[in-house]
Amino acid sequence: MAGLLFLALVFFAFGEADVRRNGAQSAADASALAAAQESRDQLEVDLRAHILDRAYLTHLFNGPFPGTYNGCAQASRFAARNDAGDVDCAMLFDGRWGFRVGVRSNKGMSANLVPGTEGKRAEADAVSVVKSRCKFIPNPDATGLSPGTVVCDSRVWVINPKDLALMPDMSDLFSVRLAER
């Protein structure tokens, strides 16, 4: 009977460790996505400032774009909301526009059933990327008012310098998703 009770307690300890690990992974995922979304959303000011620049638009939509805004402050806020801390956040420098975020859970293991586990905190990391959903097609008439067209899936947006209010939302232009580490 004592052996079965001990076995049940060990299973409880491993179950608690799994719950802590899953919570830390959720916090890391949410934090990485928040950093990438913040970076994408902050790009709107720069995009509006360069909306008539063909070279900028070509680089932004058609080439590898490394991002311009660091969203790590947002990652820290989301980690805290998900009961995690010790946030390690950095922009990616591997040709992708994104973030790598590592977190530690705020709560440690409660039971010292397995020697050395009491107070241990789960760690997790996640990577998020921002990807263009669109392609920029330059206007063949270099003297024309419009620098060109942005084609997103089946939507076509002809850039009209006289009516820039019709610009799509940043979430329509760029997706944010979790990615391979």
Side-chain angles (χ1 to χ4, degrees):
M1 185 65 148
L4 285 175
L5 182 57
F6 177 74
L7 189 59
L9 291 174
V10 168
F11 279 125
F12 173 76
F14 283 110
E16 182 184 19
D18 194 43
V19 167
R20 298 277 184 246
R21 170 78 174 111
N22 287 341
Q25 188 62 56
S26 293
D29 291 348
S31 297
L33 288 169
Q37 287 173 343
E38 178 71 8
S39 180
R40 176 198 65 197
D41 293 347
Q42 291 301 318
L43 177 69
E44 184 173 2
V45 173
D46 199 43
L47 175 59
R48 285 187 183 277
H50 295 94
I51 198 66
L52 301 178
D53 182 343
R54 293 170 196 254
Y56 177 85
L57 295 171
T58 299
H59 181 64
L60 177 64
F61 290 110
N62 301 347
F65 185 76
T68 58
Y69 184 82
N70 190 334
C72 286
Q74 194 72 322
S76 295
R77 284 191 281 282
F78 268 74
R81 289 182 190 168
N82 285 279
D83 202 24
D86 296 338
V87 178
D88 179 24
C89 177
M91 292 178 78
L92 298 177
F93 292 103
D94 60 3
R96 297 180 292 173
W97 174 11
F99 296 85
R100 180 179 313 278
V101 177
V103 300
R104 289 182 70 191
S105 65
N106 288 335
K107 294 181 183 174
M109 294 288 293
S110 60
N112 194 13
L113 299 172
V114 178
T117 62
E118 186 171 1
K120 295 274 185 183
R121 298 187 301 162
E123 298 179 4
D125 66 314
V127 172
S128 62
V129 293
V130 180
K131 297 196 79 117
S132 175
R133 293 179 178 201
C134 309
K135 292 292 179 199
F136 175 68
I137 302 167
N139 185 350
D141 179 7
T143 62
L145 290 178
S146 174
T149 305
V150 177
V151 179
C152 309
D153 302 321
S154 61
R155 293 181 59 193
V156 176
W157 174 47
V158 177
I159 301 170
N160 181 351
K162 294 181 181 180
D163 195 5
L164 295 177
L166 297 176
M167 186 173 103
D169 290 335
M170 294 304 284
S171 60
D172 292 330
L173 299 173
F174 302 95
S175 66
V176 173
R177 62 179 175 78
L178 293 173
E180 297 289 323
R181 290 162 180 62

